[in-house]
């Protein structure tokens, strides 16, 4: 039986229309093969699987402020709103790695990727070198650190290095030496709390937690604000997004002031209490050299309205306290009549101008600050270095003075929690007011630059 021709079979009668389609028809017809060959942009790019739900959750976890403070992510809009036309490089998982967004909680990347187009990871020593440079008394942030030091998003240091000499001088003078030292200590405190930080910027979350840590450690609201200012200063001078300008840290600082005790519990050391302290030193301190030192220190602090930090160093840097060369005694015909003290470093000395204090002998030899200071310097016979130093030549520390004051105050039957080193300054202002001196004159005596002197005058503490 002859075979049936294939041209007459039913399947071939349905296929000729496909082969006879015009080019325009083929162009307009949707191609199912092309759709199947293109991977969905939301699931696979260049063979890399991307889970955008997890990616969005990670970005939210880092918080918007933390994301802003880190290096900008190229085409970040395409990450939050993925599109099939976005380039694979903008959607690659490596650009949104948690280690990039969180420099404080993860180790520096070893893959060679940078945090941004012009940033790089740093080692811990690099951040310390940056802090040393900005808060150095010699450079004040005007000089660039060694070339081996790299920074994260820092552009201003080379810029400040290229400033003219007068501009650099103005920049250095804008921050006083005492403030520069205080800011340096604030950064040391922050790095002790968060040693994992290797680069800027500080995240808003860590800054908020640092504020909470300081408050829980019973830091005064003013001290907390000062530490936060130090963090903000370094960010500003390095042209890095400043987390201290965010809404949440500002509210936390306001909360510190709202929850902290508003009343200053420190009581003034009156003339009567001062006399009792001087007498008790002969009993509480066995060493003659320390007795002479403490008597001169306490009497001078009261008579000259001095802060403890102006006479005793808080750290090994003893150049900021009164030096022995700053003290000159007035002796005429073999009789000691007074002493002059040149104050070169003190709080709020914005003009950087020294102030000379003149003290005269008092009628009581036992409680005369001039006589006590003269006996102390004669016994120690030192001609250089800090005014108050031990026999070994080491500077008297703030801790030693506070410790000895606590011991002698307890001995005379008073509460050491109420009488601190600043009680001498409070007592001096109150005593001057009780003698009839005006508030303006007391302000000049104590070198106050504002009406803060009013908080030191406590007439109710005296029997007038």
């Amino acid at each position: 039986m002859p075979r049936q021709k294939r041209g007459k079979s039913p399947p071939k009668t349905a296929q000729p229309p496909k082969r006879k389609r015009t080019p325009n028809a083929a162009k307009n017809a949707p191609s199912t093969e092309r759709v199947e060959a293109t991977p969905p942009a939301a699931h696979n790019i260049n063979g890399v699987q991307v889970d955008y739900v997890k990616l969005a959750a990670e970005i939210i976890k880092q918080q918007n402020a933390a994301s802003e403070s880190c290096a900008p992510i190229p085409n970040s809009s395409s990450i939050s709103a993925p599109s099939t036309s976005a380039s694979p490089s903008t959607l690659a998982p490596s650009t949104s790695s948690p280690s990039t967004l969180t420099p404080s909680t993860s180790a520096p990347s070893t893959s060679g990727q940078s945090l941004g187009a012009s940033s790089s990871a740093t080692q811990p020593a690099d951040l310390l070198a940056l802090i040393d440079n900005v808060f150095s008394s010699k450079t004040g942030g005007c000089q660039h650190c060694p070339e081996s030091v790299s920074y994260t998003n820092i552009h201003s240091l080379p810029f400040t290095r290229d400033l003219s000499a007068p501009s650099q001088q103005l920049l250095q003078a804008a921050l006083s030496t005492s403030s520069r030292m205080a800011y340096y200590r604030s950064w040391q405190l922050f790095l002790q709390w968060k040693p994992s930080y290797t680069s800027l910027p500080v995240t808003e979350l860590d800054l908020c937690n640092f504020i909470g840590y300081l408050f829980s450690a019973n830091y005064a609201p003013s001290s907390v604000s000062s530490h936060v200012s130090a963090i903000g200063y370094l960010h500003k001078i390095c042209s890095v997004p400043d987390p201290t300008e965010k809404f949440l840290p500002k509210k936390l600082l306001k909360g510190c002031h709202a929850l902290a005790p508003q009343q200053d519990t420190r009581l003034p050391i009156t003339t009567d209490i001062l006399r009792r302290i001087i007498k008790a030193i002969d009993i509480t301190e066995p060493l003659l050299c320390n007795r002479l030192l403490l008597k001169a220190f306490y009497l001078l602090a009261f008579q000259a309205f001095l802060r403890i930090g102006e006479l005793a160093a808080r750290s090994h840097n003893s150049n900021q306290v009164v030096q022995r060369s700053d003290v000159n005694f007035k002796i005429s015909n073999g009789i000691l009549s007074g002493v002059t003290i040149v104050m070169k470093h003190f709080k709020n000395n914005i003009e950087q101008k020294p102030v000379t204090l003149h003290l005269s002998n008092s009628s009581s030899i036992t409680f005369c600050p001039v006589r006590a200071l003269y006996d102390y310097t004669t016994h120690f016979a030192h001609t250089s270095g800090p005014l108050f130093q031990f026999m070994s030549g080491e500077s008297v520390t703030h801790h030693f003075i506070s410790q000895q004051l606590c011991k002698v105050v307890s001995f005379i039957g008073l509460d050491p929690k109420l009488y601190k080193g600043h009680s001498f300054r409070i007592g001096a202002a109150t005593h001057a007011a009780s003698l009839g001196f005006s508030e303006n004159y007391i302000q000049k005596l104590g070198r106050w630059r504002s009406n803060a002197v009013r908080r030191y005058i406590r007439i109710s503490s005296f029997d007038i």
Side-chain angles (χ1 to χ4, degrees):
M1 185 175 180
R3 295 181 180 180
Q4 189 176 3
K5 295 183 179 180
R6 293 182 181 181
K8 298 180 180 180
S9 60
K12 291 187 176 181
T13 59
Q15 292 179 1
K18 290 185 180 180
R19 294 193 298 268
K20 295 181 180 181
R21 284 183 301 178
T22 62
N24 291 335
K27 182 177 181 181
N28 296 329
S31 176
T32 56
E33 295 178 358
R34 184 178 304 171
V35 174
E36 292 175 357
T38 304
H43 298 283
N44 194 305
I45 297 296
N46 286 354
V48 180
Q49 199 72 17
V50 181
D51 190 336
Y52 289 102
V53 176
K54 292 183 178 180
L55 179 59
E58 182 62 27
I59 294 176
I60 295 175
K61 181 180 178 180
Q62 303 304 323
Q63 295 187 349
N64 292 335
S67 300
E68 294 174 0
S69 63
C70 291
I73 302 176
N75 297 332
S76 59
S77 59
S78 63
I79 296 179
S80 59
S83 171
T84 56
S85 61
S87 62
S89 60
T90 59
L91 297 176
S94 61
T95 59
S96 58
S97 172
S99 62
T100 303
L101 296 175
T102 319
S104 61
T105 56
S106 60
S109 174
T110 58
S111 61
Q113 290 181 341
S114 61
L115 295 175
S118 60
S119 61
S120 60
T122 63
Q123 299 298 323
D126 296 347
L127 181 57
L128 294 177
L130 170 64
I131 295 173
D132 290 338
N133 174 267
V134 173
F135 299 117
S136 170
S137 59
K138 296 181 179 180
T139 61
C142 296
Q143 295 184 3
H144 191 42
C145 286
E147 296 181 357
S148 59
V149 179
S150 56
Y151 307 99
T152 299
N153 246 6
I154 291 176
H155 309 290
S156 71
L157 285 182
F159 170 75
T160 56
R161 177 194 59 185
D162 296 333
L163 289 174
S164 63
S167 298
Q168 291 187 7
Q169 184 180 6
L170 293 174
L171 176 61
Q172 185 176 1
L175 192 65
S176 64
T177 303
S178 58
S179 298
R180 188 176 292 112
M181 294 178 59
Y183 283 3
Y184 183 81
R185 290 193 296 265
S186 297
W187 270 100
Q188 286 182 321
L189 179 63
F190 177 79
L191 292 178
Q192 288 176 1
W193 173 77
K194 196 76 171 182
S196 59
Y197 257 98
T198 60
S199 61
L200 297 179
V202 172
T203 65
E204 182 181 1
L205 177 61
D206 283 335
L207 177 60
C208 291
N209 289 335
F210 180 58
I211 295 174
Y213 160 75
L214 295 176
F215 181 79
S216 62
N218 296 323
Y219 280 79
S222 58
S223 298
V224 177
S225 300
S226 298
H227 292 315
V228 172
S229 297
I231 295 177
Y233 182 87
L234 187 61
H235 284 74
K236 289 182 177 71
I237 201 171
C238 294
S239 296
V240 178
D242 183 10
T244 64
E245 297 295 331
K246 300 296 182 180
F247 174 81
L248 191 56
K250 289 183 177 181
K251 284 299 179 182
L252 293 183
L253 290 178
K254 187 175 181 180
C256 288
H257 288 273
L259 296 180
Q262 297 298 319
Q263 185 178 3
D264 188 356
T265 59
R266 296 172 299 184
L267 296 179
I269 291 180
T270 65
T271 54
D272 178 64
I273 295 176
L274 180 62
R275 293 170 182 266
R276 293 164 60 188
I277 289 175
I278 298 302
K279 291 180 179 180
I281 290 176
D282 292 331
I283 304 175
T284 59
E285 180 51 54
L287 298 178
L288 173 62
C289 57
N290 286 348
R291 291 200 298 266
L292 294 174
L293 187 154
L294 292 173
K295 287 181 181 180
F297 194 104
Y298 294 153
L299 289 171
L300 182 61
F302 179 88
Q303 187 71 20
F305 294 76
L306 295 176
R307 302 174 178 87
I308 300 300
E310 295 169 345
L311 297 176
R314 287 185 177 272
S315 61
H316 296 292
N317 188 358
S318 58
N319 296 328
Q320 306 301 318
V321 299
V322 176
Q323 303 293 300
R324 176 63 183 89
S325 58
D326 298 331
V327 178
N328 294 300
F329 293 97
K330 295 181 180 179
I331 301 177
S332 58
N333 298 326
I335 300 176
L336 178 66
S337 60
V339 64
T340 59
I341 302 175
V342 179
M343 299 287 298
K344 298 178 181 178
H345 307 283
F346 55 91
K347 187 177 180 181
N348 298 324
N349 187 16
I350 300 177
E351 295 84 1
Q352 299 293 319
K353 295 181 179 179
V355 174
T356 303
L357 308 179
H358 301 273
L359 300 180
S360 301
N361 279 354
S362 63
S363 57
S364 175
I365 298 179
T366 306
F367 305 105
C368 176
V370 178
R371 171 58 62 178
L373 187 60
Y374 181 79
D375 293 341
Y376 158 73
T377 55
T378 303
H379 182 82
F380 279 69
H382 61 292
T383 58
S384 61
L387 172 61
F388 288 99
Q389 55 184 264
F390 298 108
M391 294 297 293
S392 61
E394 295 182 1
S395 175
V396 172
T397 62
H398 192 284
H399 174 73
F400 173 79
I401 295 298
S402 299
Q403 188 180 43
Q404 294 297 320
L405 180 62
C406 179
K407 181 170 64 173
V408 70
V409 166
S410 299
F411 180 81
I412 64 177
L414 299 178
D415 188 357
K417 295 181 180 179
L418 302 179
Y419 294 92
K420 304 294 183 179
H422 223 57
S423 295
F424 291 102
R425 188 169 167 84
I426 298 174
T430 306
H431 180 65
S434 67
L435 295 177
F437 291 102
S438 65
E439 179 181 312
N440 185 44
Y441 187 69
I442 297 174
Q443 183 176 343
K444 292 181 178 179
L445 289 175
R447 303 171 304 283
W448 282 284
R449 295 186 60 87
S450 65
N451 58 5
V453 63
R454 298 176 182 174
R455 301 198 304 264
Y456 290 74
I457 300 176
R458 305 175 187 180
I459 298 297
S460 59
S461 301
F462 285 79
D463 296 328
I464 302 177

